[in-house]
Amino acid sequence: AGVAFAVGGDGVGFATESYAASALYPSGALLRIRRVSSVFELARKEWGYTALPNPLIGIKKPKDPEGRDRRLRVGELEALMKACRDKTSGLWLRQAIQLAIETALRRGELLGIRWSDVDFNGCLLHVPFTKTGKSRTIPLTERAVDILQELKASSTNADIAFPISPNGFRLAWERCKRRAQKAGCPSISELRFHDLRHEAVSRFFEMGLNTVEVALISGHRDLRMLFRYTHLRAEDVGVKMRSNPR
């Protein structure tokens, strides 16, 4: 749902309040508010409009939501793999799901993978287009390398690993979830593709990587945000503690 920002205290206040009744999550509302605010600050500081007030400073904003703690549950990954049977999207979607879990890449970063960015010998992947605007090079697990090799062997595109539009990807993901749900996995309905990134980051920590090492892979510049993505299972930490007695 689109929300218009009117220049003026009352107008902006009404716009922010209307988010509660819109289809946006609080995080989406905050993102839009911050983007509009940054435009006003850019105009004031860089374009010479020093007398232009920023009407979004000091307004009541939606509360910053707590990070989702959604991870894959028992049987969900297997259900997704079985549901990837569509003739047009089954193979590449299966590989995209597995690669997301192995790399913690965002959907847009997965779709941006070019074969020229993959160093199969060095087990590295260069990610030039990121949410933060900063490129990064990440190490690849053996499984991630295997997935990319399988993908390249079956691909008809010499440049791009996943030649699919964001909307086409979204539709294929939703179809896959519906098939998994009908096959007896009801919990899959509220799983988001981005939750696979949460799963990947948590697995990296469970492997023993430290915060800085995980940030190198995930691309998080704010380590506090990285902590929000980290949802370790207490039982897994307990097993690790018992296996490494003092």
Side-chain angles (χ1 to χ4, degrees):
V3 180
F5 284 88
V7 177
D10 294 339
V12 173
F14 176 81
T16 56
E17 290 174 2
S18 70
Y19 276 114
S22 75
L24 286 174
Y25 292 105
S27 57
L30 283 169
L31 179 61
R32 292 195 180 186
I33 291 172
R34 288 164 182 162
R35 284 177 176 173
V36 174
S37 179
S38 68
V39 172
F40 278 98
E41 290 304 301
L42 179 65
R44 282 165 27 83
K45 297 177 181 179
E46 301 292 337
W47 298 344
Y49 293 92
T50 55
L52 178 68
N54 185 340
L56 285 96
I57 291 180
I59 66 170
K60 183 178 179 180
K61 301 179 179 67
K63 290 185 178 180
D64 219 335
E66 295 182 5
R68 274 173 65 90
D69 60 359
R70 183 64 161 91
R71 291 188 62 180
L72 286 171
R73 297 168 186 163
V74 175
E76 287 185 335
L77 181 57
E78 292 77 7
L80 287 172
M81 295 297 97
K82 290 179 180 178
C84 289
R85 52 180 171 79
D86 186 278
K87 291 183 179 179
T88 57
S89 63
L91 181 60
W92 66 257
L93 183 58
R94 173 191 290 261
Q95 293 163 330
I97 292 171
Q98 294 174 327
L99 196 59
I101 296 172
E102 291 293 324
T103 62
L105 290 176
R106 303 175 180 91
R107 184 190 66 176
E109 294 169 345
L110 280 171
L111 296 182
I113 295 176
R114 294 183 174 274
W115 295 122
S116 58
D117 295 324
V118 183
D119 179 356
F120 285 104
N121 293 327
C123 299
L124 298 171
L125 171 65
H126 182 63
V127 187
F129 306 108
T130 70
K131 179 181 178 181
T132 62
K134 300 287 186 181
S135 64
R136 67 183 188 277
T137 298
I138 67 172
L140 297 171
T141 63
E142 290 185 11
R143 180 61 185 137
V145 172
D146 290 341
I147 294 168
L148 286 167
Q149 288 176 334
E150 293 169 6
L151 183 61
K152 187 173 185 180
S154 61
S155 176
T156 58
N157 192 298
D159 299 317
I160 302 174
F162 295 101
I164 184 76
S165 70
N167 189 55
F169 191 103
R170 180 185 63 81
L171 293 174
W173 167 252
E174 293 299 329
R175 285 195 301 268
C176 178
K177 287 202 304 176
R178 285 196 296 270
R179 285 195 292 267
Q181 187 176 6
K182 290 179 180 179
C185 188
S187 64
I188 209 78
S189 62
E190 44 90 23
L191 181 71
R192 303 175 190 172
F193 188 82
H194 195 75
D195 292 332
L196 301 183
R197 177 169 163 84
H198 299 211
E199 179 70 25
V201 169
S202 296
R203 289 189 182 193
F204 288 143
F205 277 105
E206 290 167 351
M207 289 168 59
L209 300 184
N210 62 43
T211 303
V212 176
E213 290 168 336
V214 175
L216 170 72
I217 301 172
S218 68
H220 285 93
R221 301 179 66 189
D222 187 339
L223 298 187
R224 292 172 299 177
M225 288 295 295
L226 180 60
F227 183 77
R228 287 178 57 190
Y229 275 83
T230 309
H231 304 292
L232 305 182
R233 296 186 177 99
E235 54 269 30
D236 293 333
V237 175
V239 170
K240 185 176 181 180
M241 291 172 64
R242 289 188 291 273
S243 63
N244 294 281
R246 292 185 177 182

